[in-house]
Amino acid sequence: MKRICSIYKSPRRREMYLYVERKDALARVPEALLAAFGAPQHAFDLVLSPERTLAREDIHKVLENLGKQGYHLQMPPPEEEDDYIEHLPDELLRMNDPL
């Protein structure tokens, strides 16, 4: 059960992707989802099969969603609460260190 899939990225949310069957394009995606997603930007096409692995998604769930509803929405990974700390200068990171 191979499917040729088009993957679109959201202009509103980084790392949010919409998988659709290429033959249907965006026809089966609900209008409300497209409104929240933003104007889909085509990223690439991909052949999906149960044997294929995907970096962040379960291939079986993606194929199931494509078959049942005509699309699969990949949400961005959860942001780590402490990620912002990595971007602070060292002098700020050491302000609370004991003397």
Side-chain angles (χ1 to χ4, degrees):
M1 150 173 86
K2 291 184 178 181
R3 296 179 190 262
I4 300 175
C5 185
S6 292
I7 290 109
Y8 294 86
K9 64 181 181 175
S10 171
R12 293 190 179 156
R13 300 255 342 243
R14 192 169 57 94
E15 297 190 55
M16 179 185 282
Y17 294 93
L18 188 59
Y19 294 64
V20 296
E21 289 196 58
R22 189 170 71 180
K23 65 180 175 64
D24 297 332
L26 300 167
R28 294 180 62 191
V29 180
E31 288 297 321
L33 174 57
L34 287 175
F37 189 82
Q41 300 171 347
H42 184 262
F44 55 93
D45 291 331
L46 194 62
V47 176
L48 298 181
S49 67
E51 298 80 30
R52 184 178 192 109
T53 57
L54 298 172
R56 289 194 2 229
E57 295 295 302
D58 175 355
I59 187 68
H60 300 289
K61 186 66 175 170
V62 173
L63 291 170
E64 179 183 338
N65 286 343
L66 287 172
K68 285 184 178 178
Q69 60 193 22
Y71 67 92
H72 173 79
L73 180 63
Q74 177 179 312
M75 297 299 290
E79 291 185 21
E80 296 291 325
E81 292 178 23
D82 295 335
D83 276 351
Y84 70 94
I85 291 177
E86 295 175 11
H87 306 292
L88 294 175
D90 285 340
E91 59 270 10
L92 289 177
L93 291 173
R94 285 188 248 142
M95 286 184 75
N96 290 328
D97 288 350
L99 297 175

